Amino acid sequence: MSAELDLSQYLDLFLQEAEEQLEILEQETLKLEREPTPERLQTIFRAAHTLKGSSRAMGFASFAGLTHEMENILDQLRSNQRPVSSEVTDLLLECVDGLGKIQASIAEGQGEVGDYSDLLSRLQFFLQAPVEAVGTPAPSSTETTFALSPELEDALQAAQAQQAVWVANVRLSPECVMKFVRAFMVLNAISTSGEVLATIPEQAQLEDEQFEQEFQVYFQTSASVEELQAQFSSFSEIESITLRPYLAATPAPPEDEQAAPPQEAKSGPAPSANAPGRRQDSGQTVRVDVARLDTLMNLVGELVIDRTRVAQIGHELHAKFSDPALDALEETVSHITRITSDLQDQIMKARMLPIETVFNRFPRVVRDLAQKLGKSVELELLGGETELDRSVIEVIGDPLLHILRNSVDHGLELPSEREAAGKPAQGKVRVSARHEENHIVIEIMDDGRGIHAERVKAKALAQGLVSPEAAERLTEKEILQFIFASGLSTASELSEISGRGVGMDIVRSNIQRLGGLIDLETSLGQWTKFTLRLPLTLAIIRGLLVDVSGVVYVLPLSSVVETFMVSTSKIQTVNRREVIVVRGLTTPILRLGSVFGSAVASAESSSLYVVIVGLAEKRIGLVVDRLIGEQEVVIKSLSTFCGDVAGVSGATILGDGHVALIADVSGLIESEAA
Amino acid sequence: MHESTSPSSSVPGTETQTVVFQLGSECYGVDIFRVSEIIQLRDITPVPRTQPYIRGLVNLRGKTIPVVDLRARFGLSSQDSEDTRIIVVDSEQGQVGMIVDAVREVITLSSQQIEDAPPLVTDMSTDFVRGVAKLDESLVTMLNLDRALAA
């Protein structure tokens, strides 16, 4: 009973750990495919091992079963019994996928869902399949490598923490008759000055002489390496004894190390110090529940509101009374103001995540997609360290992934086409992120075939998205915008990856909902580049406060282009729509009062306040009654109770405690165009 | 906030505390467990293009919560007065404020006192009614909050 309670308490921890370790597994396996190194293998092995241990402890049998087989395969790889091939990495990635699914089903509270017996049997089959000759030379010329069981490795690492652990590779001469006696002498010699932790094969097997010519001893000693070497050299019938420090990270020494002379051990007096380096940074960070950070952010939001309120009360009092206490109050308020904005900054920073967390999904997707499409793709990820708010990170993954898929599927040509066009057979997609003022700019660029504007136009005409007359007047840039229209796909063939004409419109609306912009440039036959401009956070924005028939609305400052007064006589009507001419550009205007259907008709005056707002290259003018000022506002979502309100994206609380609505500029622009 | 709030039908023999409020000349009741607080009428920011019975949003200690005019919801003409209050309740869609003409008292009702609503006993659609409680001199219409607040 109590055991069950305990487990549920650890479930979150397990899930978190599983997520992290699975990510390591995937990332490192992908790298392993391109560049196999013993360190990488070890990292992967450790991740699989950690997962096996924790899933067993939690009683997740399928999870543990899969990781166990992964471990076995990895073991074969790192002991050089098997080369790293794409067959192996495919299998490993399939395991990672399976584990991911199990993890997800556990997280959803459904326990372990799915049948992995097929994968398991393929893994086991693979393990027993005969290995073609591995690149390493025959065992007679080098020392045999010994695989450590994970349990033993744990024990050794624990011992390592106390005192350096050494490994002796002992090779008896072929003519040695009493192998155990020689082995015993070696063990004895070590025991006089230290302690034997383990031998491979185990001591019982050594006694039964169940080994060829070599065995390994793991030990701790107080004697110096020189003393031991001297002692060993007096033994007869021993061909060689190689001493090296035990390194947790590389138990299977790379080939060049194997070839190194025995004296190599002398060079490093305490080399174990750099072995467990990955543990050094623990203790510097604390894991915090995301919900707690969100609460903290909300609290600061309320503090910001109250601060503004207190400042305002102070001003009001000051206007009525003159008292030294009021001066003190003002000072205090300005101090609180500084502190709250610092606090706000710090919490915002705490919520920041590097965009890497999104990018990390990309290599796998591109790899699988390229494989499926028969394309060769180099993916370059730049600026992964660029940080932005968690709220943005959460929602941009899918849109980015969609664009990336499009680039690989539609943008890049097949290798043969590329060569025919005089390009390198391998296509390139570059995803980069960088900060620009208060925004993050993400670019996705491929060196593929580009987008044929004429073809987009033809499609748009065919689907009635634009009239033939209007189409004639469109610039190329405007035509390309149809890519984001729903139902339009220029891919001549549909694939399961993309090309159904759904997607880019959703991508754009998702990005606009974030208060972001998406744009696209292309050069036919050369490249296509999508540029996304996103706010760093969704929690706080700078807004322009305007008065519309006595109600305050907030316009996000990021979309405000300019404000001015215009005489009513300057308003013209085109197609029954009101427009004004701003520096030669005919700009439609929207009277916010009538958009928001306020009961009070705004007093008709000879001039009007116009706020020009922009989205990409579209501009419209919003007519308001009065400009109130700029203010930083904390965004609150509209209650679901109100439903989706056209033209309103959220609400906020102003310094005077009133609720104000935040206008949805992209929605307004679109409604005007419709 | 979103945990399915207390059962709307009472178990026989149990007693429930009920907040009694007034709309027009009639008394209504809601389970006290659904009520988080009762506040004075305050400035309400209208939200355009919503249902007419949604008055708008108010600031409840840094939170913005929607406010429903119950009179308008039940098809009565609304009129604010000195006694008008906002009862903040927990609904399936988070906290919602209900504008009522006055808050009377909190009474304890045993489940035997609550009867099924006879059709036509009240002005409003019986959909919103969970039952009618008979007191010594008056009737209290027990609201089915989730229906009354459903869009």
Side-chain angles (χ1 to χ4, degrees):
Chain A
M1 282 291 255
S2 65
E4 252 169 60
L5 280 177
D6 282 344
L7 286 185
S8 70
Q9 192 184 333
Y10 295 123
L11 185 62
D12 279 349
L13 262 178
F14 166 73
L15 289 171
Q16 237 169 41
E17 183 181 69
E19 201 175 321
E20 281 163 19
Q21 298 294 334
L22 283 175
E23 187 161 331
I24 294 175
L25 274 179
E26 177 168 307
Q27 298 299 322
E28 293 299 315
T29 308
L30 286 171
K31 286 183 195 154
L32 185 77
E33 191 170 33
R34 271 176 284 142
E35 208 187 328
T37 65
E39 291 78 22
R40 203 154 269 160
L41 266 173
Q42 184 60 20
T43 312
I44 301 173
F45 183 87
R46 292 295 313 169
H49 179 55
T50 308
L51 283 176
K52 182 175 95 172
S54 52
S55 58
R56 267 194 187 158
M58 297 295 297
F60 295 123
S62 325
F63 202 101
L66 275 180
T67 44
H68 179 69
E69 296 305 332
M70 283 179 85
E71 212 181 70
N72 286 340
I73 288 184
L74 289 163
D75 208 31
Q76 288 192 349
L77 295 181
R78 62 175 195 166
S79 55
N80 281 331
Q81 292 173 38
R82 200 180 279 280
V84 175
S85 63
S86 67
E87 195 189 355
V88 181
T89 48
D90 276 347
L91 259 179
L92 289 175
L93 287 172
E94 210 177 316
C95 292
V96 174
D97 288 346
L99 293 173
K101 279 184 199 140
I102 301 179
Q103 190 247 3
S105 71
I106 296 173
E108 284 163 16
Q110 297 168 344
E112 292 185 295
V113 175
D115 178 19
Y116 294 92
S117 52
D118 170 59
L119 182 56
L120 274 176
S121 56
R122 274 187 294 137
L123 288 166
Q124 279 151 4
F125 179 76
F126 182 82
L127 273 167
Q128 282 149 24
V131 192
E132 318 88 84
V134 182
T136 38
S140 62
S141 60
T142 52
E143 72 182 43
T144 313
T145 41
F146 296 95
L148 291 177
S149 73
E151 290 75 21
L152 182 53
E153 204 159 312
D154 283 345
L156 289 174
Q157 277 180 29
Q160 174 99 319
Q162 310 294 324
Q163 195 187 352
V165 174
W166 290 85
V167 188
N169 268 301
V170 184
R171 187 176 180 81
L172 304 177
S173 29
E175 54 272 13
C176 171
V177 254
M178 293 170 75
K179 291 195 283 188
F180 170 63
V181 175
R182 297 298 157 205
F184 182 76
M185 285 169 66
V186 172
L187 294 179
N188 219 17
I190 293 170
S191 304
T192 51
S193 58
E195 189 188 350
V196 174
L197 297 171
T199 62
I200 295 182
E202 286 170 33
Q203 279 201 38
Q205 281 168 289
L206 287 179
E207 282 170 33
D208 294 345
E209 305 202 343
Q210 284 179 16
F211 62 106
E212 293 295 316
Q213 286 164 29
E214 292 185 37
F215 62 94
Q216 246 179 353
V217 187
Y218 290 82
F219 64 96
Q220 286 172 319
T221 181
S222 51
S224 72
V225 180
E226 288 82 359
E227 285 167 14
L228 282 174
Q229 289 275 1
Q231 233 177 326
F232 291 155
S233 63
S234 64
F235 297 151
S236 57
E237 289 191 319
I238 288 179
E239 200 172 274
S240 68
I241 295 184
T242 320
L243 284 178
R244 62 178 171 83
Y246 163 69
L247 293 177
T250 55
E255 281 165 40
D256 52 342
E257 202 179 304
Q258 287 176 14
Q263 291 83 350
E264 191 238 11
K266 293 175 190 169
S267 58
S272 59
N274 55 16
R278 65 205 148 85
R279 290 179 192 223
Q280 278 168 3
D281 55 1
S282 66
Q284 305 284 332
T285 53
V286 176
R287 229 181 256 262
V288 179
D289 191 345
V290 163
R292 195 166 292 177
L293 279 181
D294 285 348
T295 313
L296 214 49
M297 193 68 198
N298 281 337
L299 289 174
V300 169
E302 288 184 30
L303 201 57
V304 170
I305 291 162
D306 284 347
R307 167 202 79 190
T308 321
R309 176 95 184 104
V310 171
Q312 207 158 336
I313 295 171
H315 283 305
E316 283 164 19
L317 288 177
H318 217 102
K320 288 184 201 156
F321 312 103
S322 157
D323 191 310
L326 283 176
D327 296 333
L329 174 69
E330 213 157 87
E331 253 175 53
T332 316
V333 167
S334 79
H335 187 226
I336 292 177
T337 304
R338 268 207 312 280
I339 292 176
T340 40
S341 37
D342 284 356
L343 191 59
Q344 194 179 314
D345 278 358
Q346 291 302 320
I347 293 176
M348 290 289 292
K349 284 201 185 108
R351 284 165 50 101
M352 295 283 215
L353 284 175
I355 196 167
E356 223 162 43
T357 48
V358 176
F359 282 7
N360 281 345
R361 289 155 68 188
F362 296 171
R364 176 71 192 281
V365 172
V366 169
R367 169 196 182 269
D368 289 359
L369 198 53
Q371 221 172 43
K372 200 181 260 172
L373 296 167
K375 291 178 182 178
S376 166
V377 182
E378 182 196 346
L379 175 68
E380 194 183 352
L381 299 170
L382 296 173
E385 71 287 349
T386 314
E387 289 191 323
L388 65 170
D389 195 79
R390 208 181 59 76
S391 53
V392 186
I393 290 268
E394 270 171 4
V395 281
I396 56 164
D398 288 338
L400 282 180
L401 209 53
H402 195 92
I403 299 173
L404 190 65
R405 284 208 175 107
N406 260 310
S407 296
V408 175
D409 190 14
H410 297 182
L412 295 180
E413 314 91 326
L414 287 168
S416 54
E417 289 173 52
R418 292 181 63 88
E419 275 170 345
K423 293 181 180 179
Q426 187 176 48
K428 191 168 170 178
V429 178
R430 192 179 66 204
V431 183
S432 66
R434 62 172 191 277
H435 282 305
E436 229 172 61
E437 290 165 19
N438 255 335
H439 285 87
I440 179 170
V441 176
I442 304 171
E443 290 177 349
I444 299 163
M445 184 168 178
D446 67 71
D447 66 346
R449 54 171 74 95
I451 298 173
H452 207 294
E454 283 307 308
R455 216 181 285 167
V456 176
K457 189 154 97 180
K459 284 263 180 179
L461 281 171
Q463 298 184 11
L465 295 172
V466 64
S467 68
E469 308 82 62
E472 279 315 302
R473 289 192 308 259
L474 292 175
T475 63
E476 191 179 306
K477 209 170 158 86
E478 285 168 324
I479 291 169
L480 287 177
Q481 292 296 317
F482 284 115
I483 293 284
F484 300 112
S486 83
L488 191 124
S489 171
T490 53
S492 32
E493 279 170 49
L494 295 185
S495 67
E496 72 173 286
I497 297 113
S498 45
R500 291 202 184 85
V502 287
M504 287 314 278
D505 59 323
I506 295 170
V507 166
R508 182 174 64 168
S509 61
N510 279 345
I511 287 170
Q512 288 178 349
R513 199 175 311 143
L514 295 179
L517 295 175
I518 180 167
D519 214 346
L520 120 106
E521 292 167 81
T522 183
S523 168
L524 197 58
Q526 307 275 316
W527 50 264
T528 305
K529 181 167 85 177
F530 285 90
T531 307
L532 280 73
R533 183 176 284 271
L534 297 162
L536 283 184
T537 174
L538 302 180
I540 294 180
I541 56 162
R542 283 202 72 76
L544 175 68
L545 273 52
V546 298
D547 177 342
V548 179
S549 326
V551 180
V552 178
Y553 282 86
V554 179
L555 302 173
L557 212 55
S558 56
S559 48
V560 172
V561 180
E562 59 180 321
T563 62
F564 49 79
M565 279 193 88
V566 67
S567 143
T568 41
S569 61
K570 290 275 171 60
I571 297 176
Q572 300 162 23
T573 310
V574 176
N575 274 342
R576 292 194 300 170
R577 279 188 176 146
E578 290 187 308
V579 298
I580 51 171
V581 177
V582 185
R583 280 190 285 279
L585 272 177
T586 308
T587 310
I589 59 168
L590 271 184
R591 289 175 190 260
L592 275 190
S594 53
V595 171
F596 292 136
S598 341
V600 201
S602 41
E604 204 52 54
S605 59
S606 59
S607 55
L608 299 168
Y609 280 103
V610 176
V611 180
I612 302 288
V613 290
L615 185 73
E617 65 289 343
K618 283 186 199 158
R619 301 273 179 275
I620 63 166
L622 302 175
V623 177
V624 300
D625 294 340
R626 199 162 56 91
L627 302 178
I628 299 169
E630 265 179 55
Q631 194 179 312
E632 211 157 68
V633 298
V634 180
I635 300 180
K636 313 252 170 193
S637 61
L638 273 190
S639 163
T640 51
F641 197 81
C642 300
D644 259 344
V645 182
V648 176
S649 64
T652 189
I653 295 171
L654 301 176
D656 60 5
H658 279 94
V659 177
L661 299 178
I662 301 169
D664 170 18
V665 168
S666 62
L668 287 171
I669 290 178
E670 262 158 36
S671 74
E672 195 285 329
Chain B
M1 236 199 305
H2 291 276
E3 71 263 22
S4 245
T5 30
S6 60
S8 51
S9 63
S10 19
V11 184
T14 55
E15 293 192 328
T16 49
Q17 294 220 298
T18 301
V19 176
V20 177
F21 60 90
Q22 202 175 330
L23 281 184
S25 56
E26 292 185 19
C27 284
Y28 295 86
V30 288
D31 189 337
I32 199 164
F33 287 113
R34 301 290 298 268
V35 176
S36 59
E37 62 190 293
I38 295 164
I39 55 176
Q40 299 267 354
L41 194 61
R42 53 180 77 184
D43 275 330
I44 300 176
T45 302
V47 180
R49 301 172 172 183
T50 46
Q51 300 285 351
Y53 58 82
I54 297 179
R55 275 272 197 105
L57 301 172
V58 294
N59 168 10
L60 185 70
R61 289 186 303 277
K63 274 187 291 186
T64 58
I65 63 164
V67 175
V68 171
D69 189 332
L70 266 198
R71 294 183 62 128
R73 176 65 171 148
F74 297 156
L76 308 168
S77 64
S78 60
Q79 203 173 23
D80 297 341
S81 77
E82 281 268 295
D83 294 328
T84 305
R85 293 288 180 276
I86 299 175
I87 301 181
V88 181
V89 296
D90 294 321
S91 83
E92 286 163 341
Q93 288 150 302
Q95 284 188 315
V96 175
M98 305 190 301
I99 299 180
V100 300
D101 287 342
V103 175
R104 288 273 163 249
E105 57 189 328
V106 176
I107 55 169
T108 305
L109 290 175
S110 70
S111 51
Q112 289 97 323
Q113 282 175 281
I114 302 173
E115 294 172 5
D116 285 348
L120 299 182
V121 77
T122 54
D123 296 349
M124 65 171 102
S125 152
T126 46
D127 259 9
F128 303 153
V129 178
R130 217 180 79 206
V132 174
K134 280 190 184 132
L135 300 183
D136 294 343
E137 284 153 15
S138 57
L139 289 178
V140 174
T141 309
M142 301 299 293
L143 272 191
N144 182 336
L145 260 192
D146 294 319
R147 292 232 187 104
L149 295 177

